[in-house]
């Protein structure tokens, strides 16, 4: 197959927190490469998932949700989202069908207009199973009047409705050129970072309220063993002493359960045995340390 018959490019997924970007990424790639929880703002870095459709290689960039930032970490996340959008060949704006045209969506549309129309933008109305068809059509009309979208798709990323049509359209919308990654690669995050994200997801699912936003996970060491297994040592940084106790749980039961769940998923992802060891450390100002940002794929300077 010659270069001129292949297509490849980057597709940025943008939208408000919890719009379903990570769910759509995982659906398109056919494997779990991004955190999916019921909590908002769980995606922090730009995560790339890679899908093949015919002779096209589609590189999806799952960006953090775009929201009004309050803290340095928030500002870095929003900057990462817009950075992913401005670098893309195609932008997909995800809007939740049942929430419709929120203030947040209006703000995103305003920022998209500032990009100057250089990049094609498609509207993705997600979670269509939650509303009636009349409401969907009215929402589509309202959004298309507010912005000149290339195309509108109505989907359920969770259930897969409409996703094949979207993938087919994207395959034809990307520029001609050679593929950017090996055929069997599904993500371009380092394995250490994927492992840390898996553990952070398990913590997020188990913990409540603000604590998930006050912690970060880093893979401190990765040792390949002769029997084909790997030893993975991770550190969970928390901002307060009180959070450490909650993470550990009575007799260490919480962190043990989190470690077990993360290990099982990591073994499934890698197809081999993993020995996972977790430690919890208190670092009150981790959100102001440049090194912590580098570990989760964000630019510390963006939060300034």
């Amino acid at each position: 197959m010659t270069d001129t018959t292949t297509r490849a490019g980057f597709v940025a997924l943008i939208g408000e927190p919890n719009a379903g970007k990570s769910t759509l990424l995982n659906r398109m790639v056919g494997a779990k490469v991004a955190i999916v929880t019921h909590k908002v703002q769980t995606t922090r870095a730009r995560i790339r998932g890679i899908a093949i459709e015919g002779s096209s290689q589609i590189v999806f960039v799952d960006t953090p949700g775009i929201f009004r930032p309050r803290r340095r970490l928030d500002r870095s996340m929003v900057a990462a989202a817009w950075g992913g959008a401005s670098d893309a060949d195609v932008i997909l704006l995800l809007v939740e069908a049942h929430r419709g045209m929120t203030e947040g969506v209006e703000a995103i549309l305003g920022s998209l207009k500032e990009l100057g129309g250089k990049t094609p933008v498609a509207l993705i109305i997600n979670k269509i199973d939650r509303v009636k068809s009349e409401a969907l059509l009215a929402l589509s009309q309202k959004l298309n009047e507010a912005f000149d979208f290339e195309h509108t798709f109505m989907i359920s990323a969770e259930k897969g409705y409409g996703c094949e049509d979207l993938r087919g359209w994207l395959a034809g919308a990307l520029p001609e050129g050679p593929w950017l990654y090996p055929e069997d690669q599904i993500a371009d995050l380092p394995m250490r970072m994927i492992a840390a994200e898996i553990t952070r997801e398990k913590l997020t699912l188990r913990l409540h309220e603000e604590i998930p936003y006050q912690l970060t996970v880093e893979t401190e060491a990765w040792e390949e063993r002769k029997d084909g297994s790997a030893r993975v040592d991770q550190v969970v940084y928390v901002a307060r002493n009180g959070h450490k106790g909650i993470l550990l749980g009575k007799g260490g039961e919480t962190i043990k359960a989190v470690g077990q769940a993360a290990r099982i998923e990591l073994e499934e992802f890698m197809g081999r045995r993993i020995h996972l060891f977790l430690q919890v450390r208190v670092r009150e100002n981790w959100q102001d340390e440049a090194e912590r940002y580098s570990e989760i794929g964000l630019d510390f300077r963006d939060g300034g």
Side-chain angles (χ1 to χ4, degrees):
M1 193 177 283
T2 62
D3 287 350
T4 53
T5 60
T6 60
R7 292 177 182 270
F10 294 93
V11 175
L13 306 173
I14 68 167
E16 291 187 282
N18 234 10
K21 299 178 295 295
S22 297
T23 304
L24 181 59
L25 172 73
N26 293 338
R27 168 72 61 183
M28 289 294 186
V29 173
K32 186 172 173 183
V33 294
I35 282 187
V36 179
T37 79
H38 61 284
K39 295 183 171 71
V40 299
Q41 297 167 33
T42 43
T43 299
R44 284 180 176 167
R46 280 182 275 175
I47 297 172
R48 289 176 181 167
I50 303 151
I52 308 296
E53 180 69 20
S55 59
S56 298
Q57 187 178 63
I58 311 167
V59 184
F60 290 95
V61 184
D62 179 24
T63 63
I66 296 170
F67 54 98
R68 190 165 289 145
R70 292 178 299 163
R71 302 166 292 193
R72 180 171 205 128
L73 179 63
D74 296 343
R75 291 191 291 275
S76 292
M77 286 162 61
V78 171
W82 282 116
S86 60
D87 295 340
D89 296 292
V90 178
I91 297 171
L92 302 183
L93 170 62
L94 272 76
V95 174
E96 292 179 277
H98 59 291
R99 294 188 67 218
M101 179 85 100
T102 62
E103 281 184 25
V105 170
E106 286 180 13
I108 293 169
L109 291 176
S111 297
L112 283 172
K113 286 172 186 171
E114 288 173 21
L115 290 179
K118 290 175 275 187
T119 308
V121 183
L123 171 63
I124 313 298
I125 300 178
N126 189 25
K127 307 182 184 180
I128 58 170
D129 47 315
R130 298 197 184 184
V131 298
K132 292 182 177 176
S133 55
E134 305 83 52
L136 280 174
L137 292 170
L139 175 60
S140 173
Q141 186 176 347
K142 188 175 183 181
L143 286 161
N144 276 278
E145 285 170 359
F147 188 87
D148 186 19
F149 291 103
E150 287 276 321
H151 209 294
T152 298
F153 293 90
M154 299 191 186
I155 71 163
S156 167
E158 186 178 9
K159 298 189 175 164
Y161 307 147
C163 292
E164 283 304 308
D165 289 343
L166 172 58
R167 225 160 96 138
W169 179 79
L170 285 170
L174 294 177
E176 287 188 8
W179 286 4
L180 303 165
Y181 294 91
E183 189 172 352
D184 59 350
Q185 190 169 336
I186 62 166
D188 82 340
L189 273 186
M191 204 58 236
R192 294 166 69 102
M193 199 182 284
I194 289 175
E197 284 290 274
I198 286 172
T199 300
R200 189 166 68 86
E201 178 190 55
K202 303 310 171 197
L203 286 161
T204 302
L205 289 169
R206 192 163 180 104
L207 301 170
H208 303 290
E209 296 165 9
E210 270 294 296
I211 296 175
Y213 310 113
Q214 301 289 328
L215 64 80
T216 191
V217 181
E218 292 180 16
T219 301
E220 198 170 53
W222 189 296
E223 179 197 344
E224 295 290 342
R225 294 188 167 179
K226 289 179 183 177
D227 63 0
S229 68
R231 176 189 169 119
V232 180
D233 289 272
Q234 293 182 336
V235 179
V236 183
Y237 288 110
V238 293
R240 297 178 199 163
N241 261 314
H243 290 173
K244 182 175 181 179
I246 293 167
L247 254 71
L248 292 172
K250 189 177 179 182
E253 63 182 18
T254 300
I255 199 71
K256 186 178 177 183
V258 164
Q260 187 175 13
R263 177 186 58 76
I264 289 168
E265 183 157 322
L266 195 49
E267 286 181 337
E268 286 175 5
F269 188 85
M270 298 193 69
R272 61 189 176 118
R273 194 155 180 224
I274 301 294
H275 309 277
L276 180 62
F277 297 88
L278 300 180
Q279 289 183 53
V280 182
R281 293 181 195 158
V282 178
R283 280 185 91 103
E284 289 182 16
N285 300 313
W286 75 260
Q287 293 193 27
D288 295 313
E289 295 175 3
E291 191 183 343
R292 306 281 80 80
Y293 284 66
S294 300
E295 282 290 331
I296 58 177
L298 292 173
D299 192 329
F300 181 74
R301 293 166 298 182
D302 287 340

